[in-house]
């Protein structure tokens, strides 16, 4: 098969064309007969779809990094598969828009077809939703405007995407939405032309595609956009069942409802209801969607969201910046995000201003390298914490003070700065006990990745937990050393308000990362430096090699690109991304 006439390619020395190593060579034969070779090194595996494996490919010439889709030609024996790939390339390469994954280049060799795409390092909205469960309305407004912008461009070029779903909405480094995967896209020859092919992804497929009688057109993308809106706000698709046939029946009957358990605005509900209409002509068009009240709720909409929202919802403080002064503070945005003021007919950009000075007390004291895996806490902060804790349990300003990695057998034991001791067991269950108390909390993970918390007293708890409780006490005794006695405080935690605990952790050659249930991310490096990131309060505390610490707003920290702290912040981000890919729950790994 020849997909490309202008280049012939000699493949890498690597035997397995989809292995994780190797050099890919593109041989370009010019009309003059002169041969040049472009080389790409094959890096990290990014994911696989129905017929492609995707890797980071770095051009050795320009050092530019791409997402390289590698399609094994042997998998294209069926003419339909070949057709699909050729159509994907033909349509995708003709598109150029900020909210569409850029098609950079393609070539082939004897074994594979290589498609070089713009790299979107923050994965897709599917992984985002898996981590976050559901998004806030402000986020959905921000993402929706970008999706609509991509769709307006596509439809103006007579292209219907036909497979719009959260898994095809990529997130760029700058947190922009990039619509990708044009494998099912169709280009109409004239407006009014109807397509008949049955295609799409079950949960997102429009009823007229299932019906198949009249054919379908641009409205199928509008339908799928409505499904996306519902999914992002509610946390699961409106017609989801565990049986495709049942899902199709629900779609045909337009049978979906809004669960009582999730609160969404009247405006959001109204827009979804207006879009998810069986009759395609009754759905609003893209301009009408932008005109809808959901996008005119009296506040401005950020142009991009902060990177922290990949893991945690935007804080109230962040959201308040977009409210009119009568509803929130007059404070300006704290991130590099310029808010979009969406008035009925225009999109205007207002420039961001720097955040006011730092927000809270920062230090967590001098370090003491017991072993390179253990740290201690300054008495000063202990005092502050203990005074406050008399009235309310402290959930912020808490970090891992000491730990011991015994994951070769049982798990990770640790002591937090509030004196609580905990264990992250190898089976992903967690246990945490308050200082000077017999009350402990046991955290189990459900299959849909929610934590369920049980509280027990050491005097009375299930037999099945005996071994775990014994291990907790063992770790606790080991870590609590003289001169480092538990914090004397009453923490007043309860089942509804459990103490923070280590939710995930990961160790690499250079560092250990903890993600706490209070949304603190802590990375302690081998060289004794430390990054503590509070996404809730949008601040970063950095401890340098001399154990000096600074705490600065996250936005400011992300702006600096040089120096010790910037490097470690970048590492923190990489390792966090790696962890959030779902590849690691607890244990060792490497982000590179
Ligand atoms: N531009 C990109 N940047 C980063 N990762 C990407 C990019 N494109 C694809 N990936 C990763 O590769 C995976 C597979 O890609 P994609 O879904 O496009 O393959 P496919 O075989 O065309 O899939 P499908 O079966 O949906 O047609 C994605 O889920 C994603 O993890």
């Amino acid at each position: 098969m020849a997909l490309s006439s202008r280049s012939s390619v000699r493949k890498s020395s690597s035997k397995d064309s989809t292995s994780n190593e190797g050099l890919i060579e593109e041989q370009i034969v010019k009309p003059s007969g002169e041969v040049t070779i472009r080389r790409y090194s094959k890096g990290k595996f990014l994911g696989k779809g129905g017929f492609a494996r995707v890797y980071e490919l770095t051009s050795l010439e320009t050092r530019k990094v791409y997402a390289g889709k590698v399609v094994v030609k042997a998998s294209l024996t069926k003419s339909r598969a070949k057709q699909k790939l050729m159509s994907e390339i033909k349509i995708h390469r003709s598109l150029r828009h900020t909210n569409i994954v850029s098609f950079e280049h393609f070539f082939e060799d004897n074994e594979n077809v290589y498609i070089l795409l713009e790299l979107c390092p923050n994965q897709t909205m599917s992984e985002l939703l898996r981590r976050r469960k559901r998004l806030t309305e402000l986020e959905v407004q921000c993402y929706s405007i970008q999706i609509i912008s991509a769709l307006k461009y596509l439809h103006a070029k007579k292209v219907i995407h036909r497979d719009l779903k959260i898994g095809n909405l990529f997130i760029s480094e700058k947190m922009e939405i990039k619509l990708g995967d044009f494998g099912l896209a169709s280009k109409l020859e004239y407006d009014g032309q109807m397509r008949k092919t049955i295609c799409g992804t079950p949960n997102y497929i429009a009823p007229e595609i299932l019906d198949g009688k009249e054919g379908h057109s641009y409205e199928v993308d509008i339908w799928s956009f409505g499904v996306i809106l519902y999914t992002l706000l509610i946390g699961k698709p409106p017609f989801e069942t565990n049986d495709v046939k049942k899902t199709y029946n629900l779609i045909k009957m337009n049978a979906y409802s809004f669960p009582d358990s999730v609160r969404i605005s009247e405006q959001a509900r109204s827009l979804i209801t207006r879009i998810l209409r069986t009759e395609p002509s009754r759905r609003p068009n893209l301009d009408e969607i932008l005109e809808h009240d959901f996008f005119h709720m009296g506040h401005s909409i950020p142009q991009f969201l902060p990177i922290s929202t990949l893991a945690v919802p935007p804080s109230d403080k962040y959201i308040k910046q977009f409210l009119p002064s009568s509803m929130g503070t007059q404070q300006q945005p704290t991130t590099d995000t310029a808010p979009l003021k969406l008035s009925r007919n225009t999109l205007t950009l207002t420039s961001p201003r720097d955040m006011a000075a730092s927000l809270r007390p920062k230090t967590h004291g001098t370090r003491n390298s017991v072993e390179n895996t253990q740290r201690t806490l300054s008495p000063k902060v202990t005092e502050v914490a203990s005074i406050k804790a008399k009235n309310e349990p402290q959930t912020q300003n808490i970090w891992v003070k000491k730990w011991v990695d015994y994951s070769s057998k049982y798990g990770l034991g640790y002591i937090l700065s509030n004196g609580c001791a905990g264990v992250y067991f190898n089976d992903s269950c967690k246990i945490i006990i308050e200082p000077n108390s017999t009350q402990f909390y046991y955290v189990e993970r459900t299959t849909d990745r929610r934590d369920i918390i049980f509280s027990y007293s050491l005097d009375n708890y299930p037999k099945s937990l005996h071994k775990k409780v014994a291990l907790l006490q063992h770790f606790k005794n080991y870590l609590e050393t003289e001169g480092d006695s538990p914090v004397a405080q009453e923490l007043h935690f309860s089942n509804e308000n459990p103490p923070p605990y280590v939710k995930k952790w990961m160790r690499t050659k250079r560092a250990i990362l903890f993600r706490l249930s209070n949304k603190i991310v802590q990375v302690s490096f081998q060289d004794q430096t430390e990054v503590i990131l509070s996404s809730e309060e949008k601040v970063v505390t950095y401890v340098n090699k001399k154990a000096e610490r600074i705490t600065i707003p996250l936005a400011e920290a992300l702006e600096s690109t040089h120096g010790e702290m910037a490097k470690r912040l970048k590492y923190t981000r990489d390792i966090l991304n790696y962890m959030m890919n779902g590849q690691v729950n607890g244990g060792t790994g490497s982000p590179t």
Side-chain angles (χ1 to χ4, degrees):
M1 178 183 84
L3 285 157
S4 141
S5 54
R6 64 180 194 89
S7 60
S8 70
V9 178
R10 194 156 54 82
K11 238 236 14 208
S12 68
S13 47
S14 151
K15 278 185 204 130
D16 172 6
S17 56
T18 56
S19 79
N20 203 21
E21 304 163 349
L23 200 66
I24 295 166
E25 291 186 350
E26 177 189 9
Q27 201 178 64
I28 302 160
V29 186
K30 294 193 177 155
S32 62
E34 190 195 334
V35 175
T36 51
I37 291 177
R38 280 191 198 146
R39 291 186 178 83
Y40 302 90
S41 72
K42 188 161 149 194
K44 198 164 84 183
F45 172 66
L46 295 171
K48 70 180 172 94
F51 66 105
R53 290 172 73 85
V54 183
Y55 298 88
E56 268 187 17
L57 293 191
T58 308
S59 157
L60 297 188
E61 204 180 336
T62 61
R63 304 307 306 169
K64 193 165 174 200
V65 189
Y66 301 94
K69 240 177 158 171
V70 184
V71 182
V72 181
K73 283 184 171 177
S75 70
L76 300 173
T77 44
K78 288 195 186 128
S79 72
R80 208 173 119 64
K82 201 154 98 184
Q83 200 65 45
K84 182 176 179 280
L85 182 65
M86 291 188 10
S87 152
E88 173 174 354
I89 293 174
K90 191 172 168 209
I91 293 179
H92 199 171
R93 70 190 299 204
S94 72
L95 307 170
R96 205 146 271 279
H97 184 273
T98 345
N99 298 114
I100 292 179
V101 173
S102 292
F103 184 102
E104 305 281 348
H105 181 52
F106 86 103
F107 57 93
E108 61 183 305
D109 62 16
N110 292 336
E111 289 157 52
N112 302 315
V113 178
Y114 304 87
I115 302 174
L116 303 191
L117 301 169
E118 171 186 17
L119 177 70
C120 299
N122 288 320
Q123 302 173 295
T124 73
M125 295 199 88
S126 178
E127 287 82 22
L128 169 66
L129 204 65
R130 203 171 301 143
R131 285 189 299 268
R132 290 278 312 279
K133 314 272 185 286
R134 67 182 79 95
L135 303 186
T136 60
E137 295 206 357
L138 186 74
E139 291 170 284
V140 175
Q141 287 159 339
C142 167
Y143 288 132
S144 295
I145 288 173
Q146 299 176 62
I147 301 168
I148 290 171
S149 179
L151 287 179
K152 279 186 85 164
Y153 169 82
L154 279 187
H155 292 183
K157 291 196 71 127
K158 297 196 175 60
V159 173
I160 321 175
H161 187 279
R162 303 201 299 181
D163 198 16
L164 204 58
K165 57 179 176 182
I166 55 173
N168 284 337
L169 294 169
F170 292 87
I171 305 173
S172 77
E173 186 159 25
K174 279 164 54 192
M175 295 292 287
E176 295 152 299
I177 285 291
K178 302 272 176 177
L179 174 57
D181 197 351
F182 288 81
L184 295 180
S186 166
K187 188 165 167 82
L188 300 185
E189 279 128 45
Y190 55 91
D191 276 332
Q193 188 183 12
M194 297 300 249
R195 285 283 178 226
K196 284 263 163 113
T197 322
I198 298 217
C199 60
T201 299
N203 273 316
Y204 294 79
I205 206 163
E208 63 270 28
I209 298 182
L210 296 175
D211 181 42
K213 285 185 204 138
E214 304 275 315
H216 60 262
S217 188
Y218 303 112
E219 298 87 356
V220 298
D221 285 344
I222 308 268
W223 171 277
S224 305
F225 171 72
V227 175
I228 289 174
L229 261 185
Y230 181 107
T231 308
L232 296 178
L233 290 167
I234 303 293
K236 66 177 196 55
F239 305 102
E240 187 172 69
T241 69
N242 47 20
D243 172 0
V244 179
K245 268 194 193 154
K246 268 191 206 153
T247 296
Y248 288 166
N249 277 336
L250 293 181
I251 295 172
K252 285 193 231 164
M253 293 186 305
N254 203 328
Y256 72 96
S257 58
F258 293 93
D260 293 335
S261 51
V262 183
R263 257 200 13 229
I264 63 167
S265 67
E266 264 317 305
Q267 292 92 325
R269 189 188 282 250
S270 146
L271 179 57
I272 293 167
T273 316
R274 289 199 53 200
I275 294 176
L276 294 183
R277 283 178 172 156
T278 308
E279 173 58 49
S281 63
R282 294 190 59 219
R283 287 172 213 151
N285 65 28
L286 295 166
D287 286 324
E288 285 164 345
I289 292 175
L290 283 179
E291 286 281 298
H292 190 274
D293 286 349
F294 178 63
F295 296 106
H296 304 276
M297 288 163 75
H299 61 77
S300 50
I301 298 170
Q303 191 186 13
F304 309 123
L305 291 156
I307 198 118
S308 59
T309 57
L310 289 176
V312 291
S315 63
D316 288 347
K317 190 172 248 149
Y318 176 82
I319 291 176
K320 268 190 194 150
Q321 300 164 68
F322 299 97
L323 300 180
S325 46
S326 57
M327 289 165 81
T329 62
Q330 298 259 355
Q331 205 181 1
Q332 290 298 309
T334 56
T335 65
D336 53 343
T337 60
L340 270 181
K341 274 208 171 142
L342 192 61
S343 59
R344 295 251 165 214
N345 298 312
T346 53
L347 288 177
T348 48
L349 266 176
T350 61
S351 67
R353 254 187 253 158
D354 284 339
M355 184 185 177
S358 188
L359 305 164
R360 62 181 190 129
K362 282 83 197 174
T363 58
H364 73 88
T366 52
R367 276 124 16 99
N368 160 6
S369 50
V370 180
E371 279 174 14
N372 64 20
T373 53
Q374 296 187 14
R375 300 276 156 83
T376 56
L377 160 83
S378 100
K380 202 172 168 197
V381 178
T382 310
E383 244 173 63
V384 175
S386 59
I387 294 163
K388 280 199 168 178
K390 292 225 164 87
N391 302 321
E392 51 174 305
Q394 283 292 293
T395 54
Q396 294 301 316
N397 242 346
I398 287 170
W399 61 94
V400 179
K401 185 171 83 165
K402 283 183 174 185
W403 62 91
V404 55
D405 177 358
Y406 202 2
S407 55
S408 57
K409 232 172 160 164
Y410 304 115
L412 174 98
Y414 58 90
I415 304 266
L416 295 180
S417 54
N418 62 357
C420 290
V423 182
Y424 185 114
F425 293 101
N426 285 348
D427 63 2
S428 297
C429 292
K430 300 110 190 163
I431 203 164
I432 182 111
I433 188 163
E434 296 177 32
N436 305 330
S437 165
T438 54
Q439 186 78 9
F440 73 91
Y441 299 83
Y442 181 67
V443 186
E444 260 186 3
R445 203 110 213 259
T446 61
T447 44
D448 60 346
R449 303 167 73 135
R450 274 178 304 115
D451 279 351
I452 305 185
I453 302 172
F454 305 89
S455 74
Y456 299 108
S457 149
L458 285 177
D459 307 317
N460 183 17
Y461 62 93
K463 234 180 162 179
S464 56
L465 293 184
H466 277 190
K467 192 173 170 197
K468 283 184 166 144
V469 172
L471 281 165
L472 168 72
Q473 284 175 325
H474 180 77
F475 276 121
K476 188 171 181 301
N477 292 340
Y478 175 78
L479 288 168
E480 274 175 358
T481 49
E482 246 187 293
D484 181 32
S485 54
V487 181
Q489 55 181 286
E490 286 167 50
L491 294 173
H492 302 293
F493 288 116
S494 66
N495 219 8
E496 288 72 42
N497 185 18
Y501 54 89
V502 171
K503 240 177 130 72
K504 279 197 174 191
W505 71 283
M506 180 177 139
R507 216 168 152 183
T508 69
K509 276 191 206 137
R510 279 182 66 192
I512 184 162
L513 179 144
F514 306 100
R515 195 152 78 84
L516 306 192
S517 58
N518 61 354
K519 292 162 189 160
I520 297 273
V521 170
Q522 173 180 346
V523 181
S524 301
F525 291 85
Q526 287 284 0
D527 63 3
Q528 304 293 299
T529 57
E530 202 160 69
V531 169
I532 299 171
L533 212 123
S534 168
S535 43
E536 210 60 339
E537 301 197 28
K538 301 258 174 294
V539 290
V540 177
T541 298
Y542 178 65
V543 186
N544 68 16
K545 286 182 191 157
K546 294 183 205 147
E548 296 158 347
R549 68 193 52 245
I550 52 161
T551 298
I552 54 171
L554 182 59
E556 200 176 301
L558 290 173
E559 260 168 36
S560 65
T561 50
H562 298 295
E564 191 178 283
M565 183 180 83
K567 264 195 225 151
R568 281 164 186 76
L569 257 179
K570 183 176 179 313
Y571 191 80
T572 300
R573 226 174 80 182
D574 289 347
I575 190 174
L576 200 60
N577 267 339
Y578 181 83
M579 184 193 241
M580 292 191 315
N581 278 345
Q583 293 168 45
V584 179
N585 272 331
T588 51
S590 162
T592 50

